[in-house]
Amino acid sequence: EKNARKLRKDADYQRRIELVQDLEFSTASSRVKLSPDGNYLCVTGIHPPQIKVYDLSQLSMKFERHLDAEVVDFTILSDDYSKLALLCADRSVVFHAKFGNYYKTRFPKQGRDLTYAAATGDLMVVGSSNEVYRLNLEQGRFLAPMEAKSDGLNCCGISPAHGLFAAGTEDGTIECFDPRTRNAVGVLDVCRS
């Protein structure tokens, strides 16, 4: 607040140009992702936990929503901003639609990363266990988890070329799975001694 009052009288501050209006958080922003169509920027921040969506064609904020828990990671489920899945620090995944909060579900273990497999409709969450939790969004139910060899998984992703699911482990390896059969197809040691 004191800095804001001082800056009001600063000539350089008054002449500044904001490229995207209201692109700021009171404490910090944690994740930034561009929508697949390239028209919207989704940003999460803390204190209070919130998500803001910006319309890049208008260079302004589309909306802002406050959340109950800090966002660990999120993914955009549609081509624009209309469907979002937010992985929160309270072991929950919150789904948002254009109109607001749509659904909330909890996972057995704390999640660290999530990804969406559009071909199968599975939202996959990895975290502090060896299991890859799968929530099928078409059926609306949890599927049997895929089990990794490592005790913890840090990150994950889906290959757009062939659809294989890859998870980065605490052991410094990458484990790949075929989501159709839930079988491991290989392990790559990327941190050899």
Side-chain angles (χ1 to χ4, degrees):
E1 276 249 358
K2 290 179 183 179
N3 290 339
R5 282 190 222 132
K6 289 178 187 176
L7 288 174
R8 280 188 220 146
K9 297 176 184 175
D10 186 7
D12 290 334
Y13 182 76
Q14 290 175 350
R15 284 184 289 208
R16 81 187 196 295
I17 297 172
E18 289 185 12
L19 294 179
V20 179
Q21 185 180 10
D22 296 326
L23 184 55
E24 61 185 9
F25 285 86
S26 59
T27 304
S29 61
S30 53
R31 299 277 182 197
V32 177
K33 293 190 181 180
L34 186 65
S35 65
D37 66 3
N39 293 329
Y40 300 96
L41 186 69
C42 302
V43 185
T44 61
I46 57 172
H47 200 62
Q50 57 189 318
I51 183 166
K52 294 180 181 182
V53 174
Y54 299 92
D55 186 350
L56 297 179
S57 65
Q58 300 295 319
L59 296 177
S60 63
M61 184 168 57
K62 187 93 173 147
F63 64 83
E64 165 184 14
R65 294 184 185 150
H66 292 268
L67 305 165
D68 295 332
E70 182 181 337
V71 176
V72 175
D73 199 7
F74 71 97
T75 188
I76 302 169
L77 303 173
S78 61
D79 284 339
D80 58 359
Y81 69 93
S82 61
K83 296 177 186 172
L84 302 169
L86 308 163
L87 177 63
C88 296
D90 63 352
R91 291 186 5 222
S92 66
V93 172
V94 181
F95 296 94
H96 279 255
K98 274 188 177 180
F99 56 83
N101 187 357
Y102 179 71
Y103 186 73
K104 182 177 183 176
T105 187
R106 288 181 57 100
F107 281 81
K109 301 279 185 176
Q110 178 61 44
R112 294 179 182 158
D113 197 10
L114 79 162
T115 191
Y116 178 62
T120 59
D122 291 345
L123 182 71
M124 300 181 190
V125 176
V126 298
S128 58
S129 72
N130 68 332
E131 295 179 322
V132 178
Y133 297 106
R134 300 182 313 144
L135 177 62
N136 188 283
L137 301 182
E138 289 180 6
Q139 299 174 12
R141 66 183 180 101
F142 283 97
L143 302 177
M146 296 184 288
E147 292 192 20
K149 295 176 184 169
S150 177
D151 291 335
L153 305 172
N154 292 330
C155 58
C156 63
I158 300 278
S159 171
H162 46 67
L164 287 182
F165 172 81
T169 70
E170 290 178 344
D171 304 333
T173 61
I174 296 174
E175 293 191 36
C176 296
F177 297 88
D178 186 353
R180 298 168 296 179
T181 61
R182 295 189 344 246
N183 294 332
V185 293
V187 177
L188 178 64
D189 188 359
V190 293
C191 295
R192 289 188 183 251
S193 302

